[in-house]
Amino acid sequence: MSILNNTSIQPVTNLLDTGSVAPPSYSKSERTQLRAKIKQLLNEKDAVLVAHYYVDAEIQELAEETGGTVADSLEMARFGTNHPASTLVVAGVRFMGETAKILNPEKTVIMPTLQAECSLDISAPIEEFSRFCDENPDRTVVVYANTSAAVKARADWVVTSSNAVAIIEHLREKGEKVLWAPDKHLGEYIQQKTGADMLIWDGACVVHEAFKSDTLENLRKHYPEAAVLVHPESPMGVVAQADVVGSTTRLIQAVTELPNSQFIVATDNGIFHKMKQVAGDKQLIEAPTAGVGATCESCAHCPWMAMNSLNNLTSALEGMNNEIIIDEATRKKAIQPLLKMLSFNEKPGKSQPH
Ligand code: 13P
Ligand code: SF4
């Protein structure tokens, strides 16, 4: 059963209010100075940089050059818990900073900006989500990592795109019915893969929702040899055309593992930086969105991820600003479903959706 919950949730396209997010452009010497300053500050503050594949390429490079990491949301969560630094600097969106804080209460967690949200997180306000859970007490509550600490605190399980299919398959085998939030496209994909009985919240990612199946079909005619790589936050018509569906890490792996020399990629184009690093000889083609000037609000780049810059990273570190604070009662509840996910993932062969 797949029931889309049509409560009074706003369409996500109305929720995009990121203010001015145009990335700053730096001269070569400014960039060199900022990079050197950030390296020095990371050292002085006993801090490590944990970045997502969608952020600015220079921030990704800095993370790697300074002993931090560039990763998907699951690995970002894991990295912080295994690293000795007393401060985690999370370059991504707020739920990633919150996850780091929930798992590492003894550490200071700061972000370049606290305004970097996520349309999925925004689409599930805690009051409405709690009501939905209360109305369906017979269901196991499974939420995507792209949610607030309060929503995680209401859940039985947290999952990421790396382990969502495996965890829900596990719940289905145990005969459990699932309440899923907030990404309807990922929910439908998991439901199709596992056959689980899922009640699905009506949220979507503004970036992935913009990929279009008809224009993708046309593009594939131009590149018949290309493999199609799709993040499962994309609509079903796009997912249906994929050779590989998976987390950001899985898609990067696919570029190195598959023999194809051309790839059509349906996810945020920030990922191209890592893909080029690991497979510079391959041709990477952006999957089509509605296009600039049409209804596209993201055009394959997350406006909130784009808020992370060398400038605000520097000032966050200088002043130890933009700290993530979570009240202890919420944190203690939210850590339970996160720990369940991390220990599920430690079981061999449980991490990837295929
Ligand atoms: P991953 O966990 O696959 O990196 O996805 C996070 C995300 O926000 C994708 O839009
Ligand atoms: Fe959220 Fe989509 Fe941005 Fe990922 S790309 S952080 S799901 S809005």
Side-chain angles (χ1 to χ4, degrees):
M1 178 178 65
S2 168
I3 302 171
L4 212 57
N5 169 50
N6 286 318
T7 56
S8 59
I9 301 162
Q10 302 270 322
V12 286
T13 44
N14 292 344
L15 295 167
L16 192 64
D17 179 16
T18 57
S20 170
V21 296
S25 50
Y26 308 102
S27 69
K28 201 171 171 217
S29 76
E30 277 170 334
R31 262 207 315 270
T32 312
Q33 275 173 26
L34 282 169
R35 286 173 72 123
K37 180 86 187 160
I38 290 165
K39 286 184 182 177
Q40 181 201 331
L41 286 165
L42 285 167
N43 205 20
E44 279 171 18
K45 310 278 181 178
D46 185 30
V48 69
L49 187 50
V50 185
H52 191 264
Y53 295 118
Y54 295 166
V55 298
D56 183 282
E58 302 226 43
I59 297 180
Q60 295 187 40
E61 281 170 18
L62 269 169
E64 287 181 331
E65 286 167 16
T66 54
T69 194
V70 187
D72 65 10
S73 47
L74 177 65
E75 288 310 320
M76 286 174 81
R78 275 213 196 104
F79 185 86
T81 61
N82 295 329
H83 197 280
S86 58
T87 292
L88 304 175
V89 189
V90 178
V93 293
R94 197 160 65 207
F95 79 82
M96 294 168 172
E98 287 188 352
T99 298
K101 185 65 187 179
I102 293 165
L103 291 168
N104 302 283
E106 73 294 351
K107 297 191 186 208
T108 303
V109 177
I110 61 171
M111 299 188 71
T113 169
L114 292 179
Q115 297 193 320
E117 306 238 19
C118 165
S119 63
L120 289 168
D121 184 349
I122 295 170
S123 80
I126 183 58
E127 297 77 17
E128 280 175 74
F129 179 69
S130 257
R131 218 175 307 130
F132 187 42
C133 297
D134 291 343
E135 284 162 9
N136 296 283
D138 57 329
R139 288 179 179 268
T140 302
V141 177
V142 184
V143 301
Y144 196 29
N146 302 37
T147 46
S148 65
V151 164
K152 289 185 176 77
R154 189 67 170 77
D156 300 303
W157 286 86
V158 172
V159 302
T160 74
S161 56
S162 299
N163 51 33
V165 169
I167 288 177
I168 291 187
E169 175 62 25
H170 164 75
L171 297 176
R172 190 197 59 77
E173 282 166 6
K174 292 204 307 173
E176 295 182 29
K177 295 195 290 179
V178 169
L179 181 156
W180 165 261
D183 189 341
K184 65 181 173 190
H185 297 303
L186 179 55
E188 283 165 20
Y189 170 69
I190 299 165
Q191 211 264 333
Q192 196 194 62
K193 291 286 281 186
T194 63
D197 180 337
M198 293 171 71
L199 192 59
I200 299 174
W201 188 262
D202 190 12
C205 161
V206 288
V207 178
H208 292 86
E209 181 142 87
F211 292 116
K212 299 281 173 257
S213 58
D214 49 351
T215 39
L216 176 57
E217 250 176 74
N218 288 339
L219 187 67
R220 284 172 52 223
K221 287 179 195 146
H222 283 93
Y223 298 99
E225 305 300 323
V228 179
L229 311 180
V230 176
H231 196 282
E233 291 168 12
S234 309
M236 283 309 277
V238 174
V239 169
Q241 298 180 54
D243 294 292
V244 176
V245 183
S247 69
T248 47
T249 297
R250 177 76 191 95
L251 302 186
I252 291 162
Q253 253 174 23
V255 170
T256 61
E257 285 171 7
L258 295 184
N260 308 58
S261 58
Q262 293 176 321
F263 292 85
I264 298 174
V265 182
T267 195
D268 183 293
N269 58 24
I271 204 170
F272 282 51
H273 179 66
K274 177 54 75 184
M275 285 180 168
K276 282 182 204 149
Q277 271 183 351
V278 297
D281 54 330
K282 309 268 173 118
Q283 186 186 359
L284 306 171
I285 303 145
E286 275 188 38
T289 60
V292 182
T295 56
C296 177
E297 297 198 41
S298 70
C299 291
H301 192 40
C302 177
W304 293 290
M305 289 281 185
M307 287 176 156
N308 294 272
S309 69
L310 292 180
N311 259 332
N312 59 18
L313 172 56
T314 310
S315 24
L317 270 164
E318 266 170 346
M320 292 297 277
N321 300 327
N322 307 333
E323 184 174 355
I324 297 282
I325 309 280
I326 298 171
D327 77 81
E328 192 54 11
T330 305
R331 192 197 68 78
K332 277 190 168 147
K333 284 188 197 153
I335 197 172
Q336 301 305 329
L338 273 167
L339 290 177
K340 254 160 113 174
M341 170 183 81
L342 292 176
S343 62
F344 182 89
N345 257 92
E346 276 157 22
K347 295 176 193 157
K350 292 285 186 187
S351 62
Q352 283 297 334
H354 315 280

